[in-house]
Amino acid sequence: MEVLIYLVPLALLLGFAGLAGFLWSLRNGQYEDLDGAAWRAIADDEPSPGQQQPGQ
Amino acid sequence: MQVTRDYSHYVKDMGSGLAHLDLAVEGVTCAGCMTKIERGLSALPDVTLARVNLTDRRVAVEWRAGAVDPAGLIDRLAELGYKAYPYEPVRAELAEVQQTRFLLRCLGVAAFATMNVMMLSVPVWSGNVTDMLPEQRDFFHWLSALIALPAAAYAGQPFFRSAFTALRARSVNMDVPISIGVVLALGMSVVETINHAEHAYFDAAIMLLTFLLAGRFLDQNMRRRTRAVAGNLAALKAETATKFVSPEEIREVPVAAINAGDLVLLRPGERCAIDGSVVEGRSEIDQSLITGETAHVAAGPGTQVYAGTLNVSGTLRVRVAAASEGTLLDEISRLLDNALQARSRYVRLADRASRLYAPVVHATALMTLVGWALAGANWHDATVTAIAVLIITCPCALGLAIPAVQTVAAGAMFRAGVLLNSGDAIERVAAVDTIVFDKTGTLTLPDLDVVNRDAIPDGVVALAGRLALASHHPVAAAVAQAAGAKLPLPDIVEEPGRGVRGVVDGIEARLGSPAFCDAEAAARQLLATDPEVSVVAFRHGEVHQVFAVRQRLREDAAKVVARLRERGIAVEILSGDREPAVRQAATALGVDTWRAGVNPAEKIARIEELKRQGHHVMMVGDGLNDAPSLAAASVSMSPISATHLSQAAADLVFLGKDLSPVLKAVDFSRKAVGLMRQNLGLAIGYNVIAVPIAIAGLATPLIAAAAMSGSSILVIMNALRGRSAGTEA
């Protein structure tokens, strides 16, 4: 049962990392447009904002 | 005079030399549009960011301040094929976005805590029947407390606050038993942990919060989404006015930037956005959106004009009396306020359920405590059992039962072209047994239509249509529409109040009043057979023709009225228009109960009368004169072409040229309320089984947790059935 000393904090740490990630993404506005996000993932060669496409 | 568009009112300064503008965009439906718009705008010089929000149908644009004219961005979008307009979120919407974010944050915290507490609870549950050491169990319980207590303190805020407010107002809402249950369960668990007991209830308390927060979030998200889209539509209607910034210079500005005392220009065919009095010019005013009366009223210096009216023939200069609040609007909003207050007495299904629920839950828990104490159990055991009752009855499924159905139904209605303004509108629509329609703009299409198209030779129609393109007059627009005209004729001269003329094949062609075209005899003849039409004459050399123009009924109006009848709903027409026009519409639709020439107060009186007779009345209308009666009815609906105030008063707004959304709203609502009842039944059924087990003291935390999640999932699955309502209209 000694192993618990490592495993329990490790599990909690992972949980906190998940929570921190969620809060970070929420603050970043990543839940503002879920419909758009679904499509962005499969849209190809999306221009990064502000960058001009060559040839345009 | 060249008009410049001034949108500086909407541009936000982001600091560090960047300017920001939010645009509402029409027609963004897919990923293709998204990339097209983003690339199209990013390609402009000095634009640093262009990002489409597909959920809200908006575009955020940023550029180096001063380098880009906002009007240019809108033109660029028009080139790409999208109509756009600067968007300024209303305060209610901003508050809603913040509330949604807060709920999502609470949900995240609660879900994290639930997962981790569960991870610690499962070993305790299984360890209790095998070989767990008491020290290990205590360690796990302390760890659970460490996670659950701060998490509950944070994530429980929406409930604690609401419960506190209710208690301070000496009333009880659903959040009171939730808060008491959670606080007691956590407190008791701490005591148990200190006393090295076998069970603690951290897991149950925090999981309850998670499920309830999920329900709240669904509810909030539905409202936020429809409000965002409705806000877009309001912005896209582009309420602007042409303002004189100096006696010689005019500029098109949003209505929000107009103040009393400003001088504005009102051109023929333009819809007035303000209240004021005419300073210069002569014209005719179409007040149908205000009064329902379709005949035009003459206007000259001194005449009052109101927001929502249409300037028909001449150019007017108007001194603004009020841009957003004015004499007529004041009167109407006073009626509106009164009517809205009367309606707020409506009690939502969830509230009614919880009003019964809260006392029952508290009484049961208290009786359990007293019962076990009397039966000889010690206070500690009796309290633990009472808390188990409180937790197991906590309205987990009840909290999800209604929001889940509402969200699904709102989504389904949105796809059918109906936007919901309030969540409880679904319940009120489902109860409707009488529908009162306004005629002008509701049963009929807002635009005019040529009715004798077939009687006129094609060549004449085509030529008249091309002439008509040069005029802003709504009757001319109807002729252009009927001809499908695309190419305007060159060198057309417009004679204010009379018509347009130009030279075709060396002969003068005219389109305008019968006198202007020497066609008075033909016009008289036409009016004798059908007194309800407006006429516009055409002359090309010796060729004379008279077009009869009228508001046309929405194409499926008769079918929708018949279908509504089949569903046991009585249909009535209340219109401010003249009797013959209303009679004709009523006959065409087969509606027996109708009244013409009714003013706003009489409309309200009729609706109140119906309500007194015990009917649930839905009002469908679009005009400014309908706004108070929309608020007076049990539930109300407006087409998207309605005036701003009417839309604000309506519970539902429908899109498109058909009337079928009214029918669909009824069908979806009835189905949704059926599902809500089933869900409440499921939640109650679960309690009927679970509560006796808890009272008997047999509910272990494992059973309570499993039962609670099981009932919640069942309720959500049932809600998903509301996606289709089996409507074939």
Side-chain angles (χ1 to χ4, degrees):
Chain A
M1 284 300 173
E2 313 285 272
V3 73
L4 282 181
I5 293 168
Y6 304 104
L7 283 185
V8 169
L10 188 67
L12 286 181
L13 206 68
L14 285 173
F16 264 115
L19 181 64
F22 171 75
L23 291 178
W24 172 80
S25 59
L26 183 66
R27 189 156 308 151
N28 249 288
Q30 298 199 12
Y31 297 89
E32 302 287 301
D33 181 21
L34 293 174
D35 294 356
W39 285 108
R40 272 177 216 282
I42 56 166
D44 37 42
D45 65 291
E46 184 193 351
S48 59
Q51 230 174 16
Q52 285 194 24
Q53 285 294 293
Q56 272 191 359
Chain B
M1 275 181 283
Q2 182 62 40
V3 186
T4 49
R5 283 170 302 165
D6 185 0
Y7 292 126
S8 52
H9 176 76
Y10 292 105
V11 177
K12 274 181 291 192
D13 185 10
M14 300 294 284
S16 66
L18 285 179
H20 179 104
L21 181 69
D22 285 314
L23 296 164
V25 187
E26 196 175 69
V28 182
T29 46
C30 63
C33 306
M34 198 163 72
T35 31
K36 195 167 149 197
I37 290 176
E38 287 183 356
R39 280 184 198 178
L41 289 178
S42 303
L44 292 174
D46 292 315
V47 171
T48 53
L49 172 89
R51 194 166 174 92
V52 175
N53 183 324
L54 200 60
T55 315
D56 295 343
R57 321 253 161 110
R58 288 181 194 154
V59 184
V61 194
E62 278 175 20
W63 64 90
R64 275 180 267 286
V68 178
D69 175 22
L73 297 172
I74 289 168
D75 293 341
R76 176 76 184 134
L77 280 169
E79 278 170 36
L80 294 169
Y82 300 96
K83 188 182 171 196
Y85 196 75
Y87 178 80
E88 192 174 40
V90 286
R91 201 177 303 142
E93 198 187 312
L94 280 176
E96 224 143 63
V97 169
Q98 268 168 3
Q99 181 68 13
T100 312
R101 263 198 208 178
F102 177 62
L103 280 174
L104 202 53
R105 219 158 45 217
C106 289
L107 183 60
V109 171
F112 151 78
T114 304
M115 285 187 281
N116 284 287
V117 172
M118 273 298 161
M119 179 188 81
L120 297 166
S121 296
V122 173
V124 175
W125 297 336
S126 48
N128 277 337
V129 288
T130 54
D131 58 350
M132 188 176 239
L133 301 174
E135 296 78 40
Q136 284 170 348
R137 192 176 58 215
D138 284 356
F139 172 64
F140 275 38
H141 279 165
W142 278 118
L143 261 180
S144 299
L146 203 65
I147 300 165
L149 291 178
Y154 183 80
Q157 283 180 76
F159 306 101
F160 300 154
R161 271 189 215 155
S162 152
F164 185 66
T165 322
L167 286 178
R168 215 171 36 184
R170 292 174 187 284
S171 70
V172 175
N173 62 11
M174 192 140 81
D175 294 330
V176 175
I178 293 171
S179 304
I180 294 179
V182 169
V183 171
L184 271 183
L186 291 174
M188 196 64 203
S189 303
V190 173
V191 174
E192 293 283 75
T193 306
I194 293 171
N195 292 335
H196 312 287
E198 271 191 16
H199 295 302
Y201 305 96
F202 295 113
D203 45 2
I206 196 76
M207 187 161 150
L208 181 72
L209 281 181
T210 308
F211 276 114
L212 289 168
L213 281 167
R216 289 283 152 100
F217 174 71
L218 286 176
D219 192 29
Q220 190 74 25
N221 203 30
M222 175 207 86
R223 267 182 289 164
R224 189 206 126 180
R225 196 187 259 232
T226 45
R227 200 186 285 260
V229 177
N232 278 359
L233 290 165
L236 283 165
K237 280 169 68 195
E239 293 196 51
T240 60
T242 313
K243 174 179 155 181
F244 283 91
V245 284
S246 75
E248 291 307 313
E249 196 191 342
I250 50 175
R251 195 176 282 178
E252 195 178 311
V253 294
V255 174
I258 297 257
N259 297 312
D262 285 346
L263 197 62
V264 298
L265 183 73
L266 199 56
R267 280 164 298 189
E270 213 171 1
R271 203 171 276 286
C272 187
I274 45 90
D275 278 17
S277 63
V278 177
V279 179
E280 194 188 312
R282 296 214 162 266
S283 178
E284 286 173 306
I285 303 279
D286 175 357
Q287 296 195 329
S288 59
L289 264 184
I290 303 263
T291 58
E293 162 89 49
T294 42
H296 299 162
V297 185
T303 312
Q304 293 290 319
V305 291
Y306 300 108
T309 56
L310 187 71
N311 179 26
V312 178
S313 45
T315 302
L316 299 173
R317 285 179 186 222
V318 179
R319 176 76 62 193
V320 179
S324 52
E325 289 164 36
T327 47
L328 180 73
L329 279 174
D330 266 350
E331 172 67 12
I332 289 181
S333 35
R334 196 178 51 77
L335 286 169
L336 201 64
D337 284 346
N338 291 347
L340 280 174
Q341 268 166 19
R343 196 167 65 188
S344 62
R345 273 183 252 126
Y346 182 85
V347 187
R348 295 169 63 167
L349 202 52
D351 290 342
R352 264 184 293 171
S354 65
R355 211 172 269 187
L356 290 172
Y357 206 83
V360 172
V361 169
H362 288 149
T364 317
L366 191 70
M367 270 155 52
T368 310
L369 177 72
V370 175
W372 275 97
L374 288 180
N378 62 31
W379 281 106
H380 171 264
D381 288 351
T383 314
V384 169
T385 317
I387 289 174
V389 171
L390 215 49
I391 289 177
I392 218 159
T393 52
C394 248
C396 206
L398 200 64
L400 281 169
I402 286 167
V405 175
Q406 271 175 357
T407 310
V408 172
M413 280 161 118
F414 182 64
R415 282 189 292 277
V418 182
L419 299 176
L420 280 173
N421 264 346
S422 62
D424 59 343
I426 293 176
E427 293 164 39
R428 285 186 272 128
V429 172
V432 161
D433 60 4
T434 307
I435 299 187
V436 177
F437 283 101
D438 166 52
K439 182 187 77 77
T440 315
T442 306
L443 288 173
T444 64
L445 287 166
D447 296 324
L448 296 165
D449 210 40
V450 174
V451 285
N452 61 344
R453 165 77 178 78
D454 294 339
I456 299 168
D458 284 347
V460 173
V461 175
L463 191 55
R466 293 182 66 188
L467 261 177
L469 282 179
S471 168
H472 286 295
H473 197 290
V475 171
V479 173
Q481 171 80 29
K486 296 242 161 32
L487 286 171
L489 288 166
D491 305 323
I492 302 293
V493 181
E494 180 154 16
E495 294 198 6
R498 301 176 70 194
V500 289
R501 58 185 167 84
V503 177
V504 180
D505 304 333
I507 310 168
E508 192 186 58
R510 290 180 167 194
L511 182 77
S513 68
F516 182 58
C517 304
D518 303 320
E520 282 151 307
R524 259 198 303 279
Q525 202 185 344
L526 195 71
L527 285 170
T529 53
D530 190 351
E532 275 318 304
V533 295
S534 302
V535 290
V536 57
F538 170 78
R539 179 184 171 197
H540 186 224
E542 290 311 301
V543 184
H544 291 87
Q545 278 298 341
V546 179
F547 292 85
V549 174
R550 167 170 41 219
Q551 287 191 314
R552 199 174 40 146
L553 287 171
R554 288 185 192 257
E555 229 158 67
D556 60 348
K559 200 170 88 181
V560 168
V561 167
R563 288 269 158 79
L564 286 171
R565 285 246 180 79
E566 280 171 26
R567 285 158 177 72
I569 294 173
V571 177
E572 257 184 56
I573 299 175
L574 281 183
S575 174
D577 206 356
R578 289 155 303 150
E579 205 217 286
V582 184
R583 179 196 304 278
Q584 197 172 41
T587 317
L589 297 175
V591 176
D592 306 324
T593 333
W594 55 270
R595 277 195 213 172
V598 227
N599 66 33
E602 287 167 348
K603 282 193 183 185
I604 294 185
R606 173 62 185 153
I607 286 171
E608 294 295 343
E609 186 190 335
L610 284 166
K611 278 166 85 179
R612 264 198 308 279
Q613 290 167 5
H615 293 291
H616 293 274
V617 187
M618 170 147 100
M619 172 84 202
V620 190
D622 71 325
L624 206 51
N625 62 329
D626 294 315
S629 39
L630 286 171
S634 331
V635 61
S636 52
M637 204 163 174
S638 275
I640 194 64
S641 55
T643 54
H644 195 78
L645 195 64
S646 301
Q647 266 180 42
D651 296 302
L652 305 99
V653 174
F654 67 95
L655 317 171
K657 288 193 152 190
D658 292 345
L659 200 62
S660 65
V662 177
L663 181 66
K664 285 181 184 154
V666 169
D667 285 351
F668 275 116
S669 300
R670 288 189 173 182
K671 169 138 190 194
V673 168
L675 287 172
M676 286 179 196
R677 295 229 168 90
Q678 281 177 18
N679 272 352
L680 287 179
L682 282 173
I684 290 166
Y686 149 77
N687 279 322
V688 167
I689 299 168
V691 171
I693 296 174
I695 292 177
L698 298 172
T700 64
L702 177 64
I703 291 175
M708 222 159 57
S709 355
S711 71
S712 298
I713 289 166
L714 202 63
V715 157
I716 290 177
M717 303 273 275
N718 193 39
L720 287 175
R721 298 199 301 136
R723 275 186 198 172
S724 65
T727 306
E728 79 294 354

